[in-house]
Amino acid sequence: MSRISSQLAGTLGLFRLGLRSGWLGVAGTILLVAGLITAVAISIDSLFSNLAERQQYEATLGESPASQAFNGRGYGLDTIGGITAYEVGFLGQLLFPLLAVHLALRHTRREEEAGRTELVTATRVGRLGPLAAGLLIVLFTVTAIGILTFAGTASVGLPLAGAGWYSVGTAALMLFFASLGLVLGQVAQSARTGYLAGLAAVTAAFLIRALIDGSGWDAVWASPLGWFAEFRPFGEPQVWPLAAFLVSAVVLVAGAGAIAVRRDLGAGILATPAGPERGRASLGTAMGLSWRLNRTAILAWSVTAILWGGVFGILTQEMAELVEADPTVLEALGVDSGSDVVTSLAVVVICLAATATAVQGMGRLISEESSGRLGTVLATRISRKRLWLGWWAVVGASAVAVQLLGCMALGLVSWAVLSESAAFSTAMEVGFGYAVPVVFVAAMAALLRSIGSRWSVLGWLLVGWIATVGFLAETLQLPEWARGISPLHLVGQLPQDELNVAAVLSLAAAGGALLVLSVGLMSRRDLAAG
Amino acid sequence: MRKSLSENLVQAQGLVKTFGAFRALDGLDLHVAEGEVHGFLGPNGSGKSTTIRALLGQLRLNEGQADVFGLHPWRDSVEIHGRLAYVPGDTSLWPGLTGGECIDLLGGFQGSMDSQRRDELVERFELDPTKRARAYSKGNRQKVALVAALSCDVELFILDEPTSGLDPLMESVFQKVIAELNREGRTVLLSSHILAEVEALCDRVTIIRSGTTVSTGTLEELRSGTLTTVEATTGHRPAGLEGIDGVTDLQYEDHPHGVRIRLVATHAAMPQAVAAVTAAEPTDLVVRPPSLEQLFLEHYQESGPGVGAAEPAGGES
Ligand SMILES: Nc1ncnc2c1ncn2[C@@H]1O[C@H](COP(=O)(O)OP(=O)(O)OP(=O)(O)O)[C@@H](O)[C@H]1O
Ligand SMILES: [Mg+2]
């Protein structure tokens, strides 16, 4: 007993330290989650004030397998709360878990990687201190999210019991994924590896659930994201998902603790094998370096995009069957064919993977610069301009490749399940149509990065905004100018709309201008370290 | 003493660099002549790394004239970089790459790495190039950076505390390699806190403090600007010591065999002072020049050296 308590020594101090150094991230996470849910609730409350409208919603979108695949199962869809939960579903099921994993890694592995954990654990801090402090930060954050979400949804006028259950469910969902993040923080030796593993886990959980819900299989237990909807806060609430989340979280945290007391500080649990004695000649070029340092992330995003495309390709069949049974659905959804509904939503996700590739690839230069490695490379014969452009070219090309690979997977699988080659050509047209907006985001990321490392975060906000406009523009009744901030929206909602060629050309020109500007800024300013 | 302008590879005059309100460099001068190993010394935070980074074109100077190979560090940085190799003060390597890959990466960018020399240096520094960078010890990380820089075929090496973390064996390998390079006629700018290394390698040194050059010259010249202690036991009191310009701290003490004398003399006053003491028939005589540590401590201290520097800072050639 005293052994455990000595290993936990210093936890409270570390918890306060973590809050002080990471308060912005903690506050941002809390406000983002509670704010998103409340905003959707407010909007739904004004959009669907009368029962008949809600019943129509339940009969169309609520029944559509594609919507269920994206949003998760809907319960109590004739109530404001039910529709709110359903609409939050898609974005929420990706965003909330990813934020939770990020929060956990930010407060454990990243501190350790930076060498700060080594400093503090040399004082009177026990071996479990850093992990326990990370857990406290997670608990603090999810509790605050629960309370604020409850306050927000209740103030919109949702029934208290439903609002309560929904808030508890959201907090439990995030606690579960944060616990997973704590385990990843113990296993992975670098935070980046942890993030990628977390992304893989969230993608897998989402796709498994999407497949099950889209196909109507009776297997909601198979994915933690399936449990989330099964709280049924605005239908008939169930307790078992809460128990499932809490028990799994406890098991995960215990696992993380078991690893933490056994492993070496600074290490993961996998030993790094020896590697090549020499570097390839390409390593000494701007593009070679960019590829080498970004390739793991690029591969991870490619696999994500391909999986998304593939799984939603399978779901086109469900949608086609629905349309065959009831052609009026087409009109209600404003599309020509069932597979278009799936394509238009799946492609948003694929574009997110592509833009994330771009923003992450440019963001990689932050640690390169702050560690002084960029300075060391630039102390050689290569000019800033060449390094910058070479790096960007690899990042931009990979982003487009991720985009096209995802759309190709979507197109090929829909072609296979529908036996319609048109499905493939539509998917590829959409893929090419959004290629320029993706490149534009890459250029924007380059510009933000060239201004300074603090600005890079705006690139992620842009990706987040693209997601928000893609999934929730109608729900949140966003004004046109706000939608226009998303470059995807500017070229039109594909494949329903015609591609806006003028917008594509302007975006290409603007992207080129941003890139030129970023080169100018980069070659003019001081390097942060070196 | 100082070589003429055309032979200076690095020529910096009145450098000023501010970070917000803070003046990291405040009128700093640095002249590195072709073919010399030039020591660059100063207390922590005095601006050595900042100067070096400005010379590499990583920082833009607020004021002052700097040129390297007669070129402008900011505008012509790429051309300059092709002719030099650099070891940064804080070596950070790419965590996922092996040491060998890091070396070849930098060599590829540099473009003039001699791969035979690279292998030879890997051997001499006893480096295992197959380890991942994150698994290296601090000293081994430093070796990677050293091998990458020292195997380049360049005219100038800029080394910012290159041996921090090296063990004494490796330190001596480093000194041998630098001495060899210098014999081949290559120039080295060496920032260092290791005085033995400076004494063994450097032809000339520049000492800075708070962003300003306080002295520059050969070690002998620096020594000549400082005080020497003389201690002796003589049969009788020497005459005329009090009258010598530059003799201070004169102390007499009675002793069974005569008088015990202790005095401190400047370089210029030495011959006269020693002559006066010798005339008094000493039974023992100790002349103690300041140790290197004392020498530098005097220059490092904010109050300034007790005596004038070898050459006034900021003087024109
Ligand atoms: N990017 C920066 N922003 C603000 N201040 C800086 C920056 N870089 C350096 N400084 C300040 O400039 C001063 C000189 O720093 P520099 O790194 O050149 O010192 P140094 O002589 O190399 O010291 P050391 O011997 O410790 O390596 C320090 O006070 C440092 O804090
Ligand atoms: Mg320094």
Side-chain angles (χ1 to χ4, degrees), chain A residues 275-280 283, chain B residues 93 97-107 113 118 122 127-133 136 144 147-148:
Chain A
E277 191 177 328
R278 291 183 156 278
R280 294 165 188 234
L283 203 51
Chain B
L93 302 173
L97 269 57
T98 65
E101 285 182 301
C102 291
I103 294 173
D104 292 338
L105 184 159
L106 290 167
M113 182 177 278
R118 167 207 188 270
V122 166
L127 181 70
D128 173 2
T130 64
K131 263 199 183 151
R132 302 278 170 193
Y136 276 126
V144 170
V147 172

Side-chain angles (χ1 to χ4, degrees), chain A residues 90-91 94-95 344-359 403 434-442 444-445 458-474 476 478 482-493 507:
Chain A
F90 192 1
L91 187 54
L94 291 176
L95 183 67
S344 75
L345 284 172
V347 87
V348 175
V349 185
I350 293 170
C351 285
L352 288 181
T355 48
T357 310
V359 173
Q403 158 94 352
Y434 282 145
V436 169
V438 167
V439 173
F440 174 84
V441 173
M444 180 59 94
L458 289 181
W460 286 111
L461 287 185
L462 180 60
V463 173
W465 191 248
I466 292 173
T468 311
V469 173
F471 302 141
L472 292 175
E474 291 301 324
L476 292 175
L478 295 174
R483 297 181 194 200
I485 296 174
S486 161
L488 258 58
H489 179 81
L490 290 180
V491 303
Q493 193 184 358
L507 275 177

